[in-house]
Structures are given as structure tokens and as C-alpha cells.
Amino acid sequence: MIDRTIITPVILSGGSGTRLWPMSRAEQPKQFLPLTATASMFALTLARIADPTRFSDPIIVAGARHQALIEAQLDGRDATLILEPSARNTAPAIALAAIACEGLMLVMPSDHVIDDVPAFHAAIEAAMPLVASGWLVTFGIEPTGPETGYGYIEAGDALITGVHRVARFVEKPPLAEAQAMLARGGHFWNGGIFLFRGDAYLTALGEHAPAMLESANAAMNMATREGRVVLPDAAAFAASPSDSIDYAVMERAERVAVVPVSMGWSDIGSWDALYELGEKDEQANVIGGDVVAVESAGNLIRSDGLRISVSGVSDLIIIASGNDIMIVPRTQSQAVKALMSKRAS
Amino acid sequence: MIDRTIITPVILSGGSGTRLWPMSRAEQPKQFLPLTATASMFALTLARIADPTRFSDPIIVAGARHQALIEAQLDGRDATLILEPSARNTAPAIALAAIACEGLMLVMPSDHVIDDVPAFHAAIEAAMPLVASGWLVTFGIEPTGPETGYGYIEAGDALITGVHRVARFVEKPPLAEAQAMLARGGHFWNGGIFLFRGDAYLTALGEHAPAMLESANAAMNMATREGRVVLPDAAAFAASPSDSIDYAVMERAERVAVVPVSMGWSDIGSWDALYELGEKDEQANVIGGDVVAVESAGNLIRSDGLRISVSGVSDLIIIASGNDIMIVPRTQSQAVKALMSKRAS
């Protein structure tokens, strides 16, 4: 008998977090860094699913290069670790986990912040009846501004209390469209968090992306296992098309629902986002590490070791990590990617 | 017989260069760093007095902690090295050198830039007749702007071609006074470079600051010598009053002359000065070391090891040295001292 009340958390740790360079790097992406608190976002993600009456040990889907980091940050907690032999985006990654588990799956990125965990848990509870009957549920974040960096979900009719049929998915919109959606209401950010039965997901994947399902099944059939570490077959997984769960499944499946939720969510998608979340001093600086700031205001200044001393500077992002120092104006943190690629080339 | 045509260069290396922190530090002050060229300012100072038909081996007066640095940068050149047991400003330091040498002395700081060395040499030649007859000669730098950070010298009547009696010394002036002096003409920056007979200096010191002369004589009488290194007696030298050659001697003595000279002089007194001297790229940045600058203009960016990456920033001074990063706006480089003292406390 499959337990219909216990949820298997599936934590996706595939991102490389290039927008938070130089602290976030391919070998140590942002989810493993204590950027928002004294614990890393990965550790905070684990802490959200600690209640054993609701959650089983998690399945973590990650790149092989991060195995040691993950095992260190699991801090003794039991988990299944599925190491992706190659990056094929979220739909195939979630398929590997769905094949490895039975029952309910809560799929979460490892690099998001959720300040109001009770609100998150309440949203999960609201979705449980529909999930049990095979619906694919996504969580729609109440927007706090006309962000153009997220996809949106328009909620349709209510199915049960707090859960709506998805009317449509909206690609990352231009600003005017984002403002219009905000004004109309009923539109939510797509936060990339999902709840469904594993078999329901695999069935939908087989309908809408059968080559992906076939590759995932082959990769898991030929997987090698070392304790709780699962190594899917590299050649079989490499044959999979690469796509997100949104494009491959959620936007195509029939029974897709959204739970609107306001829970202090952020994907920490930029240094600007980290500034907005951070605790401000009297001059509206957000400071972390060995920093002296004199007559300086509105800066985000962080160091993981080097000593930073500034005077008379305003509204800058100043990040020191390892041997790298990066400086860009606030609100221009999209420039980080270009700087990083210049450094990598 | 004392040779009246050979000049002993006396290089003062006592400054700590705090205004160029974090590159300049007490243990390695700015004169030993290659800030303006591939050679250090100390090495460039030596290069200016290389002609053996005019200059003898130099006497270097320095702090004991810098002995190894100096010996390395002498690069095999013979020199007498007088190690000050304590810092007593320039008048006593020059007295130690005057006691150690006979004949003509050219006193120079070790941390100045002189672009037009032939002009400097011509100014020295112009002063030689007066120096031979016992005058104390200072070099007056043709001002290029109403600087408030330098003392000024007003030239009086011409004594011989190119050499004037000093009418008066002017303390670092307020801006309006500096502007007025520039408008009137006949006023020069006091560059801290002097030419005189050692005995003439000691005689004037005995008249105007006898306690200093007494301490210097005692310190040298009891000095220990190791090869060409002279260690004045610490207790005797510590008893000396502390004062500059300007206050103790030049402003009080009778026969004091100035040679006006325009020779591309700078005391590199700030990061701003280094920006002004530096070679600009197409965006008017002055860059040294491992720096990537994108869409950034008018910055001074230097690193002696760390990697600096900036985008979209303007008119900043960004200095990385050792484990320190310092950032201040250009034209505010006077803030450096306060930052350094916060770091030291």
C-alpha cells in the first residue's frame, strides 16, 4: 500500500547560479552558500520538510560534481541522491525522481527563499485532495510587483477551497503586460514548486514527452547504486530531450491546478534581490563579512574573506569572493553574467 | 681636499605613505612600489643621480625596518645606509647625513616623480656657484594649479641667473590664497629638495636648532658601523627635538635661495595624483593589474594580485592589495587615511 499522506520531497539542485558570481560558481552554486541567513538555501530547503508525519526522507537530484557538498550539508539526514549524468533541464530530472519513488512528490528548487513556511505548508494541505486524485499542482506566488523575470500563471475557476484550475501559463512578460496582469489580479508568479503523484507525472510525461519518459526509464533501469546514491545510466539519460517541466508537461496536461500563496518567496535571482531581502543598516547598506563602510549608503557589500573598506560610495554592489572582486551599480546586477563570462573566457 | 664638484646625494626614505593605502603600508611604503612605472620611485630616484662625474655614491637615511627592501632595490649599487633609530622628522635626519659626508649634499625625498630629469640637473648646475659659497638652496616647483596641499616659496631678487633669494616661505594655503599666489606669479611649491654644503647646513642648524645638532653629533659619535650601514646611537638620537628642515633651518637662516624649476614633478601624494599621472585608456580609466572594466569610465583601478571586475561604474578609485580592497570616489582620496586608521585600530 502506498501511503497517501506522506510526501516525498524532491529537491532539484541543478542550477549553476551564475547571476550571483563571484560568490556563486559552477563548483559551488548559490544554493550551498549562506547568502540569506547563517544557513545555506539548500539547508533551509531541507528544514522546510523536516516534519516526519508529513514528509519522508528527500530525494535530491543534483550534478555529480556537487555530491560532496550535498552530503556535507545533509548533516547526517538520510536522503536518496540521484546524480544527473548530464543536464537535461527539469522535466527529465523530475522523471528520474518519480521513477525512484512511489506516492506523492513535492518538487522544489534548492535555491529559493520562503520566509513564511507555515503558509507554504498550508498551501500544500489545501492541494492534497486534488493531488490524491491525480491532478498536477503548481504553487502560484502572489506577485509583489510587475516582475518581468518570471513566468506567470493565470488562475481559472476554483476547484476546491484555495485551489484553482490553471487558465493559462504566461511567458516572462514585457513590463506593460506584467503591470496589466498585476492590475487585473488572478495572476501569479510561477515559482517552480510542484506537488503531484509520481505516477500522475509519469503518465502525463508519457503523453506529452514520450521520448523523455523512455530515456528516464532506461537510465534508471540501467542505473548503478552505491548505498543511497543513484547513478542513472549516462548514455541513456544523454539521449533524453532537454526541457523544463513547464513546457514539457504542465502547459500541456489536462488536469493542472494552481494554489495561490503568499509566503515571502524569492528565487534570489540577482544581487539586487539579495539587497532587497537583506537587513539594512542606518545608511540602507546591506553588509556581510569584513567590511568597513564610511559615509556610504544604499550599498550591498559582501565578502567571504577579503577586507573591504569604502568611503563615500553609494548604491553599489561590491562582492569579494576568493580572489575575485566584482563591482556594479545596484539595479544593474544583470551585468554580472557578462563579467563572469569575460573572466571564464 | 674636499671635491667641490662632486655632490653626495642624500635620499630620505622616512615616509610611511599612508595616503596610498592599501598598497603603501608601514612595512612597504610607497617609495618601494612600482606605482608610476615598472621601477619603484626609490629606484627612479637612484637613477637620477647615476652620473659619476657629478654624483658620488648616495647616503640613504631610512628606518631600520626597511633595510632589506633598500638593499634589494639598490641592486648592487654602493651606498651608505644610515638607519634612523627613531623618527625625528627631516632636520635631524639630514644632520646625520651631513655629519657622515663632506662637501656638497643634494637632499631628496625617495618618493617623488620627476619626469624631466635634464631640467632637474640644469637647476642643480644653476645653483652650484651659490652653494659653493655657503648658501642653502631649495628647489621651487613651478605650480600647475592652486594646490592647497603644498607649502609655497615666494622668490625675491635674482642672485645669479636662475637663482633667487627666498622672500618668504608660505604655509599650506587656503584655496583663495593659493589662487592669488598663482595669479601674482613668483610663487613656487616647496618640493622638499635641497642643495647645500654639509658644513653650511650644520652651521645653520647649530645657530637655529642647537639641541638637534648636539643630538645628531652625539648619535653619530656613538654610532656603530657594519660595513656601509651606520646605526646612530638610539638614546642620543631619541633626545633630539623633532622638526622639519623647513621649520628648523630654511625659514630661519639668512642665506637661503630658491631655484625655480619646471620638471614634471609630483610627490604622488594621493591616489588622485596617481590617476592624474597615469596613462588613460579610451574611457579615461587608469588600470593596472588583473582588471576587467566594462562600460566604466574615469576610474583608477589597480590590483597587485586579486582579480577586479567592474561594470557600469564611473570616477572611482578601486585599489586591491594583499587582502585589502579600498573603494572611494575620485577627488575624495583624502578619505584613505581615515579608512586606514579604522583598519589599524
Side-chain angles (χ1 to χ4, degrees):
Chain A
M1 273 292 291
I2 296 170
D3 186 332
R4 293 297 186 201
T5 65
I6 293 291
I7 300 170
T8 301
V10 174
I11 300 175
L12 304 180
S13 180
S16 55
T18 56
R19 289 175 297 178
L20 296 188
W21 181 83
M23 284 204 172
S24 179
R25 296 166 188 262
E27 63 275 22
Q28 181 154 309
K30 65 174 179 174
Q31 58 267 30
F32 302 116
L33 303 173
L35 289 176
T36 60
T38 53
S40 73
M41 292 181 279
F42 180 86
L44 293 172
T45 302
L46 284 177
R48 261 173 239 140
I49 43 100
D51 175 5
T53 68
R54 178 51 89 195
F55 299 108
S56 73
D57 292 335
I59 296 174
I60 297 158
V61 187
R65 73 198 309 186
H66 300 138
Q67 180 177 353
L69 265 173
I70 289 169
E71 287 174 344
Q73 298 211 352
L74 278 168
D75 199 22
R77 180 151 177 191
D78 274 334
T80 299
L81 183 49
I82 301 178
L83 299 179
E84 294 171 286
S86 50
R88 285 295 178 270
N89 210 329
T90 50
I94 296 165
L96 298 177
I99 294 164
C101 90
E102 293 188 310
L104 307 184
M105 298 168 60
L106 174 66
V107 177
M108 297 174 291
S110 58
D111 57 356
H112 290 182
V113 163
I114 294 174
D115 273 343
D116 187 351
V117 175
F120 179 44
H121 289 163
I124 292 169
E125 297 310 320
M128 289 293 271
L130 283 175
V131 168
S133 59
W135 285 70
L136 308 179
V137 171
T138 182
F139 295 85
I141 313 296
E142 292 272 5
T144 55
E147 289 288 332
T148 57
Y150 303 134
Y152 284 68
I153 300 166
E154 183 177 357
D157 298 336
L159 295 161
I160 58 174
T161 303
V163 190
H164 297 250
R165 186 184 288 275
V166 169
R168 59 170 186 140
F169 287 87
V170 182
E171 296 275 325
K172 293 178 185 176
L175 182 60
E177 190 181 342
Q179 290 169 328
M181 288 188 287
L182 222 69
R184 281 205 303 280
H187 289 78
F188 305 91
W189 293 339
N190 184 350
I193 305 171
F194 307 97
L195 184 65
F196 38 63
R197 284 186 358 223
D199 65 319
Y201 175 71
L202 293 173
T203 299
L205 190 67
E207 277 177 42
H208 302 290
M212 273 186 209
L213 179 61
E214 190 182 334
S215 296
N217 273 325
M220 289 300 275
N221 284 338
M222 293 187 283
T224 57
R225 287 175 171 77
E226 298 168 4
R228 302 203 63 177
V229 176
V230 180
L231 299 157
D233 183 75
F237 193 67
S240 174
S242 177
D243 209 350
S244 72
I245 178 176
D246 293 298
Y247 287 157
V249 178
M250 301 301 284
E251 299 186 10
R252 302 178 182 180
E254 280 300 304
R255 296 199 299 163
V256 177
V258 58
V259 185
V261 60
S262 178
M263 58 183 180
W265 173 91
S266 170
D267 69 345
I268 315 291
S270 68
W271 288 115
D272 279 315
L274 211 57
Y275 174 80
E276 296 303 331
L277 280 183
E279 192 178 336
K280 315 289 186 292
D281 68 14
E282 288 173 9
Q283 284 72 45
N285 297 300
V286 175
I287 285 175
D290 192 350
V291 175
V292 165
V294 175
E295 290 174 21
S296 294
N299 303 285
L300 171 67
I301 311 179
R302 292 190 67 122
S303 170
D304 62 13
L306 300 171
R307 307 200 313 174
I308 302 176
S309 306
V310 306
S311 179
V313 300
S314 296
D315 302 321
L316 292 179
I317 296 168
I318 302 170
I319 310 296
S321 181
N323 291 319
D324 275 296
I325 303 145
M326 187 212 65
I327 307 169
V328 298
R330 263 185 49 222
T331 75
Q332 293 187 31
S333 62
Q334 77 286 352
V336 170
K337 269 192 165 177
L339 284 181
M340 191 198 68
S341 65
K342 275 188 181 282
R343 280 304 188 181
S345 65
Chain B
M1 274 291 292
I2 295 170
D3 187 333
R4 293 297 186 202
T5 65
I6 293 291
I7 299 170
T8 301
V10 174
I11 299 175
L12 304 179
S13 179
S16 55
T18 55
R19 291 175 296 179
L20 295 187
W21 182 83
M23 283 203 171
S24 180
R25 297 167 188 262
E27 63 275 22
Q28 181 153 312
K30 65 174 178 173
Q31 59 266 32
F32 301 116
L33 304 173
L35 288 176
T36 60
T38 53
S40 74
M41 291 180 279
F42 180 85
L44 292 173
T45 301
L46 284 178
R48 260 174 239 139
I49 42 101
D51 176 4
T53 68
R54 178 52 89 195
F55 299 107
S56 72
D57 291 335
I59 296 174
I60 297 159
V61 187
R65 73 199 308 187
H66 300 138
Q67 181 178 352
L69 265 173
I70 287 169
E71 286 174 345
Q73 297 210 354
L74 278 169
D75 199 24
R77 179 151 178 190
D78 274 334
T80 299
L81 184 49
I82 301 179
L83 299 179
E84 294 171 287
S86 50
R88 286 293 178 271
N89 210 328
T90 50
I94 295 165
L96 299 176
I99 295 163
C101 90
E102 293 187 311
L104 307 185
M105 296 167 63
L106 174 66
V107 177
M108 297 175 288
S110 58
D111 57 356
H112 289 183
V113 164
I114 294 175
D115 273 343
D116 187 351
V117 176
F120 180 43
H121 288 163
I124 291 169
E125 297 311 319
M128 289 293 271
L130 283 176
V131 168
S133 59
W135 285 70
L136 308 180
V137 171
T138 180
F139 294 85
I141 314 295
E142 291 272 5
T144 55
E147 289 289 331
T148 57
Y150 304 134
Y152 285 67
I153 300 167
E154 183 177 355
D157 297 336
L159 295 162
I160 56 174
T161 302
V163 189
H164 297 250
R165 186 183 287 275
V166 169
R168 60 170 184 140
F169 287 87
V170 183
E171 296 274 325
K172 292 177 187 177
L175 182 61
E177 190 181 342
Q179 289 168 329
M181 288 189 286
L182 222 70
R184 281 204 303 279
H187 288 78
F188 304 91
W189 295 337
N190 185 349
I193 305 172
F194 307 98
L195 183 65
F196 38 63
R197 284 186 357 224
D199 65 317
Y201 176 71
L202 293 174
T203 300
L205 189 69
E207 277 176 44
H208 302 291
M212 272 185 211
L213 179 61
E214 190 183 333
S215 296
N217 274 325
M220 289 300 276
N221 284 337
M222 294 186 282
T224 58
R225 287 176 170 76
E226 298 168 4
R228 303 204 61 177
V229 176
V230 180
L231 299 157
D233 182 75
F237 194 68
S240 173
S242 177
D243 208 350
S244 72
I245 178 175
D246 293 300
Y247 287 158
V249 178
M250 301 302 283
E251 298 186 12
R252 302 178 183 180
E254 281 300 304
R255 295 200 299 163
V256 177
V258 59
V259 185
V261 59
S262 179
M263 57 184 180
W265 174 91
S266 169
D267 69 346
I268 315 293
S270 67
W271 289 115
D272 280 315
L274 211 57
Y275 174 80
E276 296 303 331
L277 281 183
E279 192 179 336
K280 316 289 187 293
D281 68 14
E282 287 172 10
Q283 284 72 46
N285 297 300
V286 175
I287 285 176
D290 192 350
V291 174
V292 165
V294 176
E295 290 174 21
S296 294
N299 303 285
L300 171 67
I301 311 179
R302 292 188 68 122
S303 170
D304 62 13
L306 299 170
R307 306 200 313 174
I308 302 177
S309 307
V310 306
S311 179
V313 300
S314 296
D315 301 322
L316 293 179
I317 296 168
I318 303 170
I319 310 295
S321 181
N323 291 318
D324 275 295
I325 304 145
M326 188 212 65
I327 307 169
V328 299
R330 262 185 48 222
T331 76
Q332 293 186 33
S333 63
Q334 77 286 354
V336 170
K337 267 192 166 175
L339 284 181
M340 192 198 68
S341 65
K342 275 189 181 281
R343 280 305 187 180
S345 65

